[in-house]
Amino acid sequence: MDNTFLSPYFQKPLTLGADIVVHSGTKFLGGHNDTLAGFLVTNSLELSEQLRFIIKTVGSGLAPFDSWLILRGIKTLPIRMERAQENAQAIAAFLQGESRVRKVYYPGIPGTQAHEICKRQASGFGSMITFEVESVRLAHHILKSTRLIPFAESLGGVETLLTYPTTQTHADVPVEVQRKNGITDCLLRMSVGIETKEDLIEDLKQAMDSFG
Ligand SMILES: *Cc1c(COP(=O)(O)O)cnc(C)c1O
């Protein structure tokens, strides 16, 4: 199971029955968008020995400096996750009140299936928000107009980032599959960071308000 979005702070898949948990350490665990790393976690000694053998023989062990960056990042994981989630809740509420935002996907929003699943198996909702705006032109305008929030791939860092799924994260997914899963040209994904939430909301607001 891939636990990258919630991190072990909010969700512990081994206790839910998973055999192997995957984490992109590049994201919340590292937390500062400054290194690449990955983790495989298991509670089976047999599996862990097999995985360790593969990692050792293919030579994909993490370099000392990257290991150090990840260890340093993990020390602040709880406070980063809490703050980013608090910001995400506020931004999701702001987006829900915007007339030109058609849909907001965030598990912290009550009344959704994602909310119920998250409440059952996790201790938080994380800080990944996806939202659909009313036109492709508006989506492109927002990506070009935010001043504080960069338009960049990746997630889970202290900085808030905006991503355009159709040409970035999901570019290799066939268009029919994208559409079936609600991934449209009007969709934006935001990894909410730990900045001051009023500044983030103000930035999104000025980007939307400056659209002709
Ligand atoms: C980024 C990401 C990965 C891949 O991790 P890298 O560190 O970029 O190799 C895997 N799963 C999820 C959910 C991710 O966001």
Side-chain angles (χ1 to χ4, degrees):
M1 190 212 140
D2 189 325
N3 197 34
T4 297
F5 278 25
L6 285 179
S7 91
Y9 179 68
F10 282 138
Q11 182 167 260
K12 298 174 170 55
L14 293 180
T15 66
L16 299 165
D19 297 309
I20 300 176
V21 186
V22 178
H23 291 281
S24 168
T26 310
K27 314 293 172 53
F28 290 99
L29 293 172
H32 296 75
N33 291 322
D34 56 7
T35 187
L36 299 173
F39 290 87
L40 291 171
V41 187
T42 175
N43 51 13
S44 148
L45 190 61
E46 194 190 334
L47 278 175
S48 92
E49 278 168 2
Q50 288 170 358
L51 291 170
R52 181 172 285 277
F53 179 76
I54 295 168
I55 288 163
K56 215 167 68 178
T57 47
V58 302
S60 62
L62 200 59
F65 183 61
D66 301 278
S67 304
W68 179 78
L69 281 173
I70 294 290
L71 286 171
R72 196 175 64 163
I74 288 173
K75 290 179 189 179
T76 53
L77 181 69
I79 52 174
R80 286 187 287 105
M81 295 305 291
E82 291 287 354
R83 171 62 177 259
Q85 172 171 257
E86 182 192 320
N87 285 354
Q89 288 281 8
I91 290 170
F94 160 75
L95 291 171
Q96 283 187 295
E98 284 293 293
S99 59
R100 287 188 288 195
V101 175
R102 267 200 300 231
K103 230 176 190 163
V104 182
Y105 300 94
Y106 176 59
I109 298 172
T112 61
Q113 193 192 15
H115 183 76
E116 293 311 313
I117 294 171
C118 234
K119 262 199 332 202
R120 215 166 45 231
Q121 67 185 42
S123 59
F125 306 109
S127 49
M128 296 301 298
I129 298 177
T130 306
F131 62 102
E132 193 177 71
V133 295
E134 67 179 11
S135 70
V136 183
R137 278 183 57 234
L138 176 58
H140 291 185
H141 176 81
I142 293 170
L143 291 174
K144 278 186 288 202
S145 311
T146 50
R147 295 176 188 148
L148 173 66
I149 306 170
F151 168 28
E153 204 153 328
S154 201
L155 61 106
V158 290
E159 300 97 357
T160 299
L161 301 179
L162 264 175
T163 308
Y164 195 47
T166 43
T167 60
Q168 294 184 309
T169 51
H170 292 69
D172 59 348
V173 177
V175 175
E176 319 82 73
V177 181
Q178 286 191 32
R179 294 297 175 269
K180 210 178 104 211
N181 289 296
I183 296 161
T184 70
D185 291 342
C186 300
L187 200 71
L188 299 172
R189 188 187 76 179
M190 190 166 29
S191 167
V192 180
I194 65 165
E195 302 94 330
T196 301
K197 59 177 175 274
E198 288 80 7
D199 291 345
L200 295 170
I201 291 171
E202 186 55 40
D203 194 27
L204 288 168
K205 196 167 158 43
Q206 67 77 26
M208 280 194 252
D209 289 351
S210 63
F211 183 63

